[in-house]
Amino acid sequence: MSDYIKRAALVRPTERQLAWQGMEFYAFIHFGINTFTDKEWGLGNEDPAIFNPIAFNADQWVDTCKAAGMRGLIFTCKHHDGFCLWPSKYTDHTVKNSPWRDGHGDAVLEVSEACRRGGIKFGIYLSPWDRHERNYGSGKYNEYFKNQLKELLNNYGDIFCVWFDGACGEGLNGKRQVYDWEGYCRLVREFQPSAVISVCGPDVRWCGNEAGYCRESEWSVVPACSLGIEEVQEKSQKVDNGEFSKRINLEDSDLGSREVIRDAGELIWYPAEVNTSIRPGWFYHSSEDDSVKSLEELVKIYYGSVGGNANFLLNIPPDKNGLIHGNDARRLKELGDYLKEEFRQNLAKNARVFSKDIAEETYSAEKVIDGNKNTFWCPDEGVQYPELTIAFDKPAVFNKVVLMEHIQSGQRVESFALSYKENGEWKEFYQGTVIGYKKICCFEKILARYLKLVINQSRWRPEITSVGVF
């Protein structure tokens, strides 16, 4: 085995990246002054007096997220318009100068507390671009931004994610800002060490588009140059033209194959997140009430992201009343109900699992159905095409197989195949590339008693922690 392959096999996630990956599916909540102007991007000159969500109910947001099967929520504490949804002491452009809650409201506090009551995790989005702040475009702005970031990091409990996009346009003064990304990240590490820093940060990689498009092979182990925050910033949206969120970027379809990493030098663990909105826009617009994504669209994105070694961040925009619209809420419940039903019964749990290719008894085939993510099946080193077979008590009908690698040890599987036995012969019915944290293999219904997984190519020994059949 080449040294670069073994080196790639040994790249591992941090504890915070592991915790983040296990969340799988969570919400983006775009809400703010734009909700009341019917715009996607504010100019920064909006009057705080227009912000008054008279029925604001963060618990309703959380309940809607939970009904969809989401495990967290990221809240837009400040968008590009600079209007703060908490009473920041560093600007007057905040909820404290709005009629909402008679000027005593704090939407960030209410959302963070609702998340804790509801048992889901809370995250924050803070736009680096600020079209209101007069110091934007100068060295003073970085200090302003850091002060606001410290307010959010210190006053709202545990935060699982700090989401920075690379939006960088002109302020009201016509200037553009050079962001102190290193300084921003240091503050997050200091005050919220368990939080991942997403997109313009070292922990979670943007998939490259806002359309919900997913790569066929999503590697978590990629060249260190993929971390270039300035490059991410350059690919971020510059103009509010309504087209950016629909664009699919195919320039970087391969980020981690052997060909890509061979001469890459340093490799890092930099997993992907797929983000899109349930509506055409990111903020609420009544004209889009009948344009909510279909159940079929959402399921496709879910299988491509959560089922393709990425996490799924789905935006849900509350309306002017401060509530998630009924059309969105109903669709999300449909999604949650669908996923519950599809994965209700794991046929592998009561099956027999065996393999002649095991390194030692500690890594036996049965480990893939024991429900413990810390145990795994691992073949002997040098086995070219290791196999694992599942035998049901009687022929079973299934149309999904869910595979998971023991990513605590790294991401190793490069290609695999699934077969079933019919009339004494094995028939291959599915070929896949990477597995990573989770791969959901979907296919037409099959009736069979025996199912076989073959690892066709791997970086060092593959370690499979779970096989589910549904």
Side-chain angles (χ1 to χ4, degrees), residues 311-384:
N311 277 9
F312 183 13
L313 175 61
L314 178 63
N315 181 64
I316 315 164
D319 62 20
K320 291 182 179 181
N321 291 316
L323 299 170
I324 293 172
H325 190 276
N327 291 355
D328 307 61
R330 281 188 290 274
R331 185 56 38 79
L332 289 165
K333 184 165 189 315
E334 285 178 16
L335 176 62
D337 290 344
Y338 170 88
L339 294 173
K340 278 181 189 175
E341 181 58 27
E342 288 295 297
F343 298 101
R344 177 176 52 84
Q345 183 181 10
N346 182 1
L347 300 173
K349 276 190 174 181
N350 298 315
R352 290 182 296 117
V353 186
F354 48 91
S355 172
K356 65 181 188 303
D357 309 314
I358 59 171
E360 55 186 83
E361 198 57 37
T362 306
Y363 310 121
S364 64
E366 292 84 2
K367 302 301 181 184
V368 302
I369 59 169
D370 67 3
N372 185 345
K373 290 185 179 180
N374 294 315
T375 62
F376 51 88
W377 164 64
C378 181
D380 256 331
E381 190 164 359
V383 176
Q384 191 170 10

Side-chain angles (χ1 to χ4, degrees), residues 70-318:
M70 295 174 169
R71 296 171 178 168
L73 180 161
I74 298 173
F75 186 42
T76 55
C77 303
K78 182 186 80 167
H79 205 252
H80 311 329
D81 48 74
F83 184 73
C84 299
L85 294 178
W86 78 102
S88 174
K89 66 181 182 181
Y90 297 100
T91 180
D92 289 330
H93 202 47
T94 80
V95 289
K96 67 188 175 189
N97 285 318
S98 77
W100 180 61
R101 305 279 195 254
D102 295 323
H104 299 291
D106 185 337
V108 179
L109 180 63
E110 292 195 32
V111 176
S112 65
E113 290 181 340
C115 287
R116 272 180 275 283
R117 280 193 298 271
I120 67 173
K121 294 186 178 181
F122 173 67
I124 61 171
Y125 163 99
L126 188 66
S127 172
W129 185 17
D130 192 318
R131 304 177 87 174
H132 174 84
E133 173 55 32
R134 57 186 176 82
N135 286 319
Y136 186 85
S138 71
K140 290 181 179 179
Y141 177 75
N142 278 320
E143 290 308 307
Y144 171 82
F145 185 84
K146 289 178 191 176
N147 284 332
Q148 290 195 324
L149 181 57
K150 281 189 280 189
E151 286 182 318
L152 294 172
L153 295 174
N154 284 297
N155 296 325
Y156 299 97
D158 291 338
I159 292 170
F160 87 91
C161 173
V162 178
W163 211 96
F164 291 138
D165 63 19
C168 183
E170 294 180 353
L172 289 179
N173 53 17
K175 296 180 180 179
R176 288 167 64 91
Q177 181 69 38
V178 177
Y179 300 133
D180 180 13
W181 291 116
E182 288 188 10
Y184 305 163
C185 291
R186 277 197 302 270
L187 287 179
V188 178
R189 291 288 190 255
E190 179 181 354
F191 297 114
Q192 293 283 345
S194 296
V196 293
I197 307 172
S198 297
V199 186
C200 284
D203 300 315
V204 176
R205 171 170 53 84
W206 181 43
C207 71
N209 68 92
E210 294 180 351
Y213 171 78
C214 312
R215 293 180 180 85
E216 180 184 357
S217 302
E218 195 65 82
W219 281 99
S220 295
V221 178
V222 297
C225 60
S226 302
L227 186 53
I229 291 175
E230 287 74 17
E231 286 76 12
V232 174
Q233 184 176 315
E234 277 307 305
K235 293 178 182 179
S236 296
Q237 188 169 4
K238 301 293 189 303
V239 183
D240 177 23
N241 58 10
E243 294 301 315
F244 184 82
S245 62
K246 303 173 188 175
R247 191 182 309 155
I248 295 174
N249 179 10
L250 295 175
E251 295 173 11
D252 304 317
S253 59
D254 178 8
L255 295 181
S257 69
R258 292 192 180 198
E259 184 179 355
V260 169
I261 66 171
R262 181 177 287 111
D263 302 312
E266 183 186 359
L267 300 174
I268 58 172
W269 190 276
Y270 201 25
E273 177 183 77
V274 172
N275 66 310
T276 193
S277 183
I278 197 168
R279 291 166 170 245
W282 288 78
F283 285 89
Y284 175 82
H285 309 287
S286 60
S287 61
E288 296 177 352
D289 284 350
D290 294 324
S291 301
V292 175
K293 278 184 171 60
S294 68
L295 177 61
E296 291 72 23
E297 287 178 281
L298 293 175
V299 168
K300 181 180 178 181
I301 298 170
Y302 181 91
Y303 285 150
S305 53
V306 176
N309 192 41
N311 277 9
F312 183 13
L313 175 61
L314 178 63
N315 181 64
I316 315 164

